[in-house]
Amino acid sequence: MIDLKLLESEFEATAEALQRRGVLPETIAALKEASSALKAAKQEAEAQQAEQNRLSRHFGELKKSGQPADELQQTLSAMKQTIAQAQEQVRTRQMALEAIALTIPNLPDADLPVGESEEQNLLLKTVGTPPLFDFDPLPHYELGSRLGWLDFERGAKISGSRFTVMCGQAARLERALISYMLDFNRERGFEEVWVPALINRRALMGTGQLPKFEEDLYLAESKEVDENDLFLAPTAEVPLINLYQDEIIPESKLPIKLTAHTPCFRKEAGSAGRDTRGMIRQHQFDKVEIIALTQPEASDRLFEEMVQCASDLLSSLELPHRLMQLCTGDMGFAAARTVDLEVWLPSEGRYREISSVSNTRDFQPRRARIRYKADKKNRLLHALNGSSLAVGRTLIALMENGQQKDGQIRLPKVLDRYLS
């Protein structure tokens, strides 16, 4: 969540930053109205409290001097109810402001390119060279069908559209990639964790998927919309970050760096007609995630480390890719800064996203109440997350980039021991 104190003290600067994120003017106006109403309620409550304090001192002086104070005592008794009402108004308006703020995206870093879509993203770096073929490269769905690796019809039969059954070598390759990615990340200092695939509403609020994106999530169990509703995880980022929900972490334990594999589930609302063939956009997919929690002054360095980790992982798999700095309007809801890694797909003749690394600054820790203790004070951490990698898309990229003229697939040597 954005800093509501900053919103109150520097509204114009905050509003300008939100405009760069593409937040609608009417939403910013509602935010300003709610912030102003809360500020007025606080001022009224403080004024009432100050008046009560003044009268209480006067009452004490009258009693000490033996002068009559019955009328003043009655006034003070009546003021207790007035102050209680003023404090309740503060709570009501605080809740109203927070309800709007929970739907507001993070403020973008000041140096990001301003834009509304991927067209305004900035190319940072290209790594590796796309392969040259002396034949027309096939898309992964044709390769998978010919080799008997991918069965889209049976996936649709048992689960519906955008579900795939992986068979034989593809199933083994999926498993091998998960193990390889976890080992790679562990060697880079990320502790491996196993987390549940079912997560509650509070956890999804903490990382920003709720309340705004509830329609994109699979609700597994509902108890009339309460905190214990269970959802299928859209990404391991959610349980990993929320492991430390409502905790104060000793500074000596920082940074916390974790990696985990989870199956991920998304309805992909609004994606009708996009990537309907093959495995690019699925309702269920595997992903290996990396996250970090650290002090604010260390988060930029750790962000670069995480981007490099994902890039090196792709390079180790011999996959050509590029790094893209996302513009203000193309980032995810919780991100203050994001670099996407896009892998080359020969069948499309273009790069496609395979990893997204984001620094959320203190946005997620504020929502999830994750703090650390430094100099005897409790401070908000910075939270970072990144795909390392989307497993299905990695499998697709290996198939397409490694395809041979005889229809077979050449896989990188680093996977040999995971497939033997």
Side-chain angles (χ1 to χ4, degrees):
M1 189 161 64
I2 61 174
D3 186 346
L4 298 182
K5 292 181 180 178
L6 181 66
L7 179 71
E8 183 178 316
S9 62
E10 300 181 27
F11 182 83
E12 294 305 321
T14 304
E16 189 276 331
L18 291 175
Q19 287 172 351
R20 289 191 286 118
R21 276 302 303 259
V23 177
L24 296 174
E26 52 265 37
T27 303
I28 295 175
L31 194 63
K32 182 177 184 179
E33 182 179 351
S35 179
S36 298
L38 174 61
K39 184 176 182 179
K42 285 180 176 179
Q43 289 172 340
E44 176 62 22
E46 289 167 359
Q48 293 284 353
Q49 187 65 60
E51 179 64 8
Q52 183 190 51
N53 293 341
R54 186 186 69 80
L55 293 177
S56 293
R57 287 193 297 271
H58 184 43
F59 177 76
E61 292 168 357
L62 292 177
K63 292 286 288 183
K64 189 175 182 180
S65 64
Q67 298 181 55
D70 292 348
E71 185 176 342
L72 184 54
Q73 187 172 21
Q74 291 176 359
T75 299
L76 283 168
S77 296
M79 283 197 74
K80 289 182 179 179
Q81 183 176 358
T82 302
I83 289 173
Q85 291 172 342
Q87 291 173 339
E88 180 60 30
Q89 186 77 317
V90 170
R91 285 191 289 271
T92 299
R93 292 184 175 178
Q94 179 76 35
M95 290 173 62
L97 176 59
E98 289 180 359
I100 298 174
L102 285 172
T103 69
I104 300 295
N106 199 358
L107 303 180
D109 286 353
D111 62 336
L112 296 184
V114 177
E116 299 178 357
S117 70
E118 62 184 25
E119 301 300 323
Q120 287 81 45
N121 292 342
L122 178 66
L123 174 63
L124 297 176
K125 186 180 181 181
T126 300
V127 181
T129 303
L132 296 175
F133 297 97
D134 57 0
F135 59 93
D136 291 332
L138 296 176
H140 71 277
Y141 45 84
E142 288 190 26
L143 283 167
S145 296
R146 289 187 182 188
L147 293 169
W149 286 21
L150 307 177
D151 195 328
F152 301 104
E153 291 184 2
R154 287 189 171 91
K157 180 168 67 174
I158 61 175
S159 301
S161 63
R162 301 197 183 193
F163 290 92
T164 304
V165 174
M166 285 179 275
C167 308
Q169 183 73 349
R172 294 179 62 216
L173 181 56
E174 180 90 354
R175 176 163 52 91
L177 284 169
I178 292 166
S179 295
Y180 176 66
M181 291 172 184
L182 288 170
D183 286 348
F184 188 96
N185 293 336
R186 186 166 47 81
E187 290 171 4
R188 293 296 179 99
F190 293 87
E191 180 185 356
E192 184 176 345
V193 181
W194 186 94
V195 290
L198 285 170
I199 46 181
N200 62 30
R201 186 174 290 274
R202 174 74 174 87
L204 288 157
M205 292 281 284
T207 45
Q209 282 78 13
L210 290 179
K212 192 171 179 64
F213 303 106
E214 185 159 353
E215 290 184 359
D216 293 345
L217 303 173
Y218 282 99
L219 178 61
E221 181 182 1
S222 177
K223 298 179 180 178
E224 298 184 355
V225 190
D226 71 14
E227 198 169 275
N228 295 314
D229 288 346
L230 290 176
F231 294 81
L232 295 174
T235 168
E237 166 199 341
V238 182
L240 286 175
I241 294 291
N242 281 283
L243 290 174
Y244 299 92
Q245 178 190 115
D246 296 322
E247 291 189 22
I248 299 171
I249 302 167
E251 190 172 23
S252 61
K253 300 291 186 182
L254 300 176
I256 292 171
K257 297 165 59 180
L258 306 176
T259 186
H261 156 253
T262 58
C264 303
F265 303 86
R266 295 180 194 170
K267 292 180 181 177
E268 295 284 2
S271 299
R274 292 183 60 194
D275 302 312
T276 54
R277 298 190 68 182
M279 289 174 53
I280 289 288
R281 199 175 296 273
Q282 299 272 277
H283 292 311
Q284 177 182 339
F285 53 97
D286 288 302
K287 188 147 70 79
V288 173
E289 190 82 2
I290 50 177
I291 71 99
L293 295 168
T294 191
Q295 304 97 321
E297 61 270 19
S299 71
D300 284 332
R301 176 189 57 77
L302 198 48
F303 176 75
E304 296 300 328
E305 178 185 326
M306 291 170 67
V307 171
Q308 193 62 52
C309 179
S311 178
D312 289 347
L313 178 52
L314 283 166
S315 294
S316 75
L317 292 168
E318 303 172 26
L319 290 173
H321 59 281
R322 67 182 186 180
L323 281 61
M324 301 294 294
Q325 175 71 70
L326 298 197
C327 69
T328 54
D330 198 34
M331 293 191 300
F333 180 81
R337 173 180 294 274
T338 298
V339 168
D340 271 4
L341 289 88
E342 300 177 343
V343 70
W344 177 258
L345 291 186
S347 69
E348 299 186 16
R350 61 171 174 151
Y351 292 91
R352 297 296 300 266
E353 178 196 343
I354 195 169
S355 172
S356 191
V357 182
S358 296
N359 190 340
T360 76
R361 305 295 180 188
D362 59 12
F363 185 85
Q364 289 181 332
R366 181 175 287 106
R367 293 172 74 109
R369 292 179 54 81
I370 306 172
R371 292 160 292 170
Y372 73 105
K373 187 174 286 293
D375 301 325
K376 298 182 180 180
K377 293 183 179 180
N378 296 332
R379 307 174 189 273
L380 285 170
L381 287 157
H382 277 195
L384 305 92
N385 63 80
S387 314
S388 186
L389 302 159
V391 183
R393 291 196 178 190
T394 306
L395 186 147
I396 288 169
L398 289 173
M399 290 175 64
E400 292 203 5
N401 284 277
Q403 62 184 294
Q404 306 296 300
K405 199 167 188 176
D406 61 3
Q408 298 303 304
I409 309 294
R410 185 189 67 80
L411 296 173
K413 292 292 185 183
V414 292
L415 295 178
D416 284 353
R417 69 187 182 98
Y418 293 90
L419 290 166
S420 60

